[in-house]
Amino acid sequence: MRTQVGIIGAGPAGLLLSHLLHLRGISSVVLERRSRAHVEQRVRAGVLEQGTVDTLVAAGVGERLLREGLPHSGIELRYGGAAHRIAFEKLVPDRRITVYGQQEVVKDLIAARLAAGGDLRFEVPDVAVHGLAAEPYATFGGERLDCEVIAGCDGFHGVSRPAVPEGVLTVFARDYPFAWLGVLARVPPSAEELIYARNERGFALHSMRSPELSRFYLQVPPDADAGDWPDGRVWAELKARLETVPGFTLATGEIVEKGVTPMRSFVAEPMQYGRLYLAGDAAHIVPPTGAKGLNLAVADVRVLTEALAAFFATGSARLLDGYSAACLPRVWRAQHFSWWMTSLLHTFDDDDAYARRLQLSHLDYVTSSEAAAATLAENYVGMPC
């Protein structure tokens, strides 16, 4: 087989890239080791920046997003027995966020690609990439896919990044001394906007996926097992960390999913080698506190699409050669913001009284200074495209 772009991974990055390339008349084949049901059902991020929404709508895959997504114009920081709203409509009036699950974005993209006759291959065994320096191709299940470019969109544990020769990439990484226990519950949200709660017991986040589904996160030890958190314990801990302001009561209900997510920061530079271009989690990971993972993947794909369109239209590799340099400033801005939000809101086992007072002082500054709040708001809704 032959195509112009071989795409490894059918997550949001790979699917969106395939669709955007299709709109430019560029052929692609998407190879995914998991089943279609698996990639459509796995619950991941749910906060879309304004730029991500605009990209999906412009690509013709935003109809359901605009109909079912939940636009938000602020978030709440909760600590010290008080609630503090960061008002996006005042601080960044031209931008907001939309709550819409990553799995819903994936469903929309798969439907659009299949409707357009896209070549999506699920449950593909033994995917490997070769010839990256000059003549790339992929092998899978005894077959070979020749292409001019390979896009590695297969996540942190995929095969694309490890295929780069040793010594080419510089890796920057940090592991955090805690994880998140994520919970999806069949219960209406108890608040209209996301609540980020700093508590001496640990961080908690109240989010949502729809008017009927709520999403919660609890800071837990890094080796925590979801099986050690029965429903009663989950609700008791969420109440202890969230019911800290007068008049707020957390609604409880059926928990339909639990999982533990490690907290790490990771960047591999450069995001390319030869004719391999890494996008999304294959190139970088952020802790989920800042809600940047999916949005960074979309930003990478926007840049890569323009570079590939120029390459196939004119033969010029100038934009492709500059792909990594074009992406990394946004990647590192998101890295810093995600680290900052994580440091601001979580408890650390080695914190002393001095460090905790510094943390609270910084929270007081963010919630009392319009300039500081505007910095949080600008980063949270996403820097302009």
Side-chain angles (χ1 to χ4, degrees):
M1 291 182 295
R2 174 170 290 278
T3 190
Q4 289 172 289
V5 182
I7 300 175
I8 314 301
L15 292 167
L16 179 60
L17 178 61
S18 178
H19 187 65
L20 293 179
L21 293 177
H22 164 72
L23 296 177
R24 301 292 188 96
I26 299 168
S27 66
S28 67
V29 175
V30 180
L31 304 177
E32 168 60 51
R33 68 186 181 92
R34 303 279 194 174
S35 69
R36 177 180 175 181
H38 177 87
V39 300
E40 287 187 336
Q41 292 170 9
R42 56 188 173 190
V43 177
R44 293 290 188 271
V47 174
L48 306 186
E49 295 176 356
Q50 185 68 57
T52 297
V53 172
D54 293 344
T55 298
L56 294 171
V57 171
V61 290
E63 179 183 354
R64 196 162 66 95
L65 161 62
L66 293 177
R67 185 175 68 249
E68 300 178 12
L70 306 175
H72 286 193
S73 295
I75 60 171
E76 179 186 311
L77 301 182
R78 183 172 293 190
Y79 70 98
H84 307 267
R85 185 172 184 267
I86 306 298
F88 300 158
E89 75 275 9
K90 176 183 178 182
L91 301 166
V92 280
D94 59 332
R95 283 171 282 160
R96 60 184 180 180
I97 60 167
T98 299
V99 176
Y100 188 69
Q102 176 174 311
Q103 72 275 21
E104 304 306 321
V105 174
V106 166
K107 291 175 186 176
D108 295 341
L109 287 167
I110 289 176
R113 293 304 301 121
L114 293 178
D119 195 342
L120 307 183
R121 305 195 176 204
F122 296 97
E123 299 183 83
V124 173
D126 304 321
V127 177
V129 294
H130 316 269
L132 302 177
E135 298 181 355
Y137 65 96
T139 56
F140 58 97
E143 299 190 61
R144 171 170 169 150
L145 173 67
D146 289 291
C147 42
E148 296 182 57
V149 169
I150 291 180
C153 305
D154 49 345
F156 184 76
H157 299 290
V159 301
S160 299
R161 190 182 66 252
V164 176
E166 187 175 352
V168 171
L169 302 180
T170 301
V171 170
F172 304 87
R174 169 170 295 183
D175 290 321
Y176 293 85
F178 40 74
W180 274 12
L181 173 68
V183 173
L184 187 67
R186 205 178 306 280
V187 58
S190 299
E192 295 184 354
E193 297 177 335
L194 278 71
I195 301 172
Y196 286 79
R198 189 267 184 202
N199 191 287
E200 291 297 329
R201 301 175 67 95
F203 169 78
L205 173 61
H206 174 293
S207 183
M208 61 284 294
R209 286 295 179 269
S210 74
E212 297 80 31
L213 286 174
S214 296
R215 183 75 166 156
F216 303 97
Y217 296 96
L218 285 168
Q219 177 185 346
V220 294
D223 58 351
D225 185 332
D228 295 331
W229 285 82
D231 293 4
R233 183 185 181 191
V234 170
W235 289 122
E237 195 61 33
L238 283 168
K239 283 178 168 288
R241 300 186 194 187
L242 289 168
E243 289 184 346
T244 57
V245 298
F248 178 83
T249 301
L250 181 68
T252 63
E254 177 193 5
I255 293 178
V256 296
E257 182 179 287
K258 296 176 194 169
V260 175
T261 301
M263 300 283 279
R264 65 165 63 95
S265 297
F266 175 91
V267 180
E269 294 187 13
M271 294 167 54
Q272 62 193 90
Y273 167 71
R275 284 292 175 256
L276 169 70
Y277 301 88
L278 303 174
D281 286 1
H284 41 71
I285 296 284
V286 290
T289 324
K292 293 299 165 203
L294 170 60
N295 296 294
L296 271 184
V298 171
D300 291 346
V301 167
R302 284 197 300 262
V303 175
L304 186 54
T305 298
E306 294 303 319
L308 288 170
F311 175 69
F312 288 113
T314 69
S316 171
R318 183 181 63 85
L319 292 181
L320 276 178
D321 292 343
Y323 166 70
S324 183
C327 290
L328 283 170
R330 180 182 290 269
V331 169
W332 279 108
R333 174 88 303 274
Q335 288 284 337
H336 179 267
F337 177 66
S338 301
W339 165 84
W340 179 76
M341 284 282 283
T342 302
S343 302
L344 188 67
L345 294 163
H346 290 72
T347 58
F348 291 79
D349 290 340
D350 59 352
D351 277 358
D352 56 21
Y354 178 82
R356 297 199 178 204
R357 289 301 293 268
L358 286 179
Q359 187 184 51
L360 291 170
S361 174
H362 202 157
L363 278 165
D364 287 341
Y365 174 56
V366 169
T367 56
S368 62
S369 163
E370 185 170 310
T375 296
L376 190 160
E378 182 180 47
N379 281 272
Y380 196 93
V381 301
M383 306 300 284
C385 298

